[in-house]
């Protein structure tokens, strides 16, 4: 299918009616719906679906740089590029194939990209939807140049929540984090679970591979499983920053929370011929199920 600007989008559906929509602009997942048709990712009502900027919502890919610490544009160029579809992708691993539909998108650097980041790579993004509705993103980045390069990376995941003040994250307690609101100073998380009452912009370091985001009001828990992604970005712009963003509604900070599987503090170094894999799996379970454990 096409989006508003004629850019191709791929829609994956499972037999129960869940769906995932991926745009070739940015290789960005723009929608993920459960089998009741409920949208699980946040998209701003003011989002601009037009290159060269990433649409505000869904899951933009931050590569080869996260944030603005580096020589590149904020969050790197991958989210602003037009990706291509691999019509003959390598088969899905037999152990992993059960009822899955998937698409492989590819990104190779353009001449412009090479001017600002002179490293030849191939980026394969596999987006898959399982029979049980889980969404998996697997990024494979290969160095096809003659010298090593470094990068940081994030799946900038905009979760849709009912009311940010009713949400908590479990799995990050007691971890160290870098606070983007304090010149990336390092702190240690003290609380039991992370809750929200003001702007938050942090990179939690060396986190466990499973994180839960509990939405009390909707009785819904997002379960985030990740591999190769030690850090977790937690971001909510809150009122003042929300008002300053052109492509974001003034009150929309209440309905979203970014929780990103990422690798930021210790960037990856890839030698010629080497490949890195970062995997993110998103699932949703009823909250009561999680609370019992
Ligand atoms: C977050 C960063 O991940 O992304 C924030 O930690 C940033 O500092 C936010 O404001 C949004 O970035 P952008 O470039 O999509 O507006």
């Amino acid at each position: 299918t096409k989006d508003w600007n004629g850019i191709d989008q791929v829609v994956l559906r499972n037999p129960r009616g869940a769906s995932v929509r991926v745009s070739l602009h940015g290789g960005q997942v723009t929608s993920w719906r459960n089998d009741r048709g409920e949208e699980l990712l946040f998209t701003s009502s003011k989002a601009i679906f037009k290159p060269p900027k990433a649409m505000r919502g869904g899951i933009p890919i931050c590569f080869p740089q996260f944030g603005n610490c580096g020589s590149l544009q904020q969050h790197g160029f991958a989210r602003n590029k037009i990706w291509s579809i691999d019509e003959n992708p390598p088969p899905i691993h037999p152990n992993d194939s059960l009822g899955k539909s998937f698409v492989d998108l590819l990104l190779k650097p353009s001449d412009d990209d090479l001017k600002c980041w002179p490293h030849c790579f191939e980026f394969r993004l596999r987006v898959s939807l399982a029979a049980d509705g889980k969404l998996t993103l697997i990024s494979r980045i290969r160095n096809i140049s003659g010298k090593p390069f470094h990068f940081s990376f994030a799946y900038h995941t905009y979760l849709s929540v009912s009311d940010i003040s009713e949400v908590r994250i479990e799995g990050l307690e007691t971890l160290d984090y870098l606070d983007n609101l304090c010149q990336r100073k390092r702190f240690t998380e003290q609380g039991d679970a992370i809750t929200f009452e003001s702007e938050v912009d942090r990179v939690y370091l060396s986190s466990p591979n499973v994180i839960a985001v509990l939405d009390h009001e909707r009785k819904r828990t997002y379960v985030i499983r990740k591999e190769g992604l030690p850090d977790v970005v937690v971001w909510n712009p809150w009122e003042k920053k929300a008002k300053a963003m052109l492509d974001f509604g003034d009150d929309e900070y209440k309905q979203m929370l970014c929780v990103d599987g990422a690798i930021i503090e210790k960037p990856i170094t890839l030698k010629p011929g080497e490949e890195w894999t970062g995997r993110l799996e998103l699932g949703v379970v009823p909250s009561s199920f999680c609370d019992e454990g």
Side-chain angles (χ1 to χ4, degrees), residues 172-178 185-191 194 202 204:
L172 303 177
E173 46 287 357
T174 74
L175 297 185
D176 281 6
Y177 62 87
L178 307 177
K185 226 175 113 187
R186 196 177 178 116
F187 295 91
T188 302
E189 183 59 53
Q190 304 292 350
I194 320 286
R202 298 177 181 171
Y204 285 86

Side-chain angles (χ1 to χ4, degrees), residues 54-205:
M55 185 279 283
R56 178 76 57 200
I59 312 181
I61 303 278
C62 305
F63 170 83
Q65 171 185 303
F66 179 82
N68 54 14
C69 283
S71 55
L72 301 176
Q73 56 186 283
Q74 160 113 328
H75 293 332
F77 50 75
R79 64 176 181 163
N80 299 326
K81 297 288 159 183
I82 302 294
W83 295 50
S84 60
I85 298 178
D86 186 354
E87 304 286 356
N88 290 301
I92 208 158
H93 193 278
N95 292 346
D96 205 25
S97 64
L98 211 65
K100 266 190 183 161
S101 56
F102 73 95
V103 63
D104 275 22
L105 301 187
L106 295 175
L107 180 70
K108 289 180 185 162
S110 66
D111 290 346
D112 274 356
D113 301 335
L114 289 169
K115 271 182 216 150
C116 60
W117 203 67
H119 307 291
C120 228
F121 65 87
E122 186 184 87
F123 188 150
R124 173 180 296 275
L125 172 66
R126 175 162 293 181
V127 180
S128 62
L129 177 66
D132 62 3
K134 286 197 188 98
L135 163 64
T136 305
L137 289 92
I138 302 174
S139 288
R140 293 198 167 85
I141 297 168
R142 178 177 286 277
N143 183 345
I144 52 172
S145 75
K147 52 184 180 13
F149 61 68
H150 315 281
F151 64 88
S152 53
F153 177 95
Y155 290 111
H156 201 347
T157 309
Y158 286 78
L159 300 175
S160 164
V161 299
S162 53
D163 174 359
I164 187 67
S165 51
E166 299 287 324
V167 168
R168 68 175 207 265
I169 307 182
E170 291 182 354
L172 303 177
E173 46 287 357
T174 74
L175 297 185
D176 281 6
Y177 62 87
L178 307 177
D179 196 336
N180 281 328
L181 303 177
C182 295
Q183 290 84 44
R184 305 196 123 210
K185 226 175 113 187
R186 196 177 178 116
F187 295 91
T188 302
E189 183 59 53
Q190 304 292 350
D192 276 350
I194 320 286
T195 53
F196 300 88
E197 49 195 26
S198 59
E199 184 183 358
V200 173
D201 190 352
R202 298 177 181 171
V203 181
Y204 285 86
L205 305 172

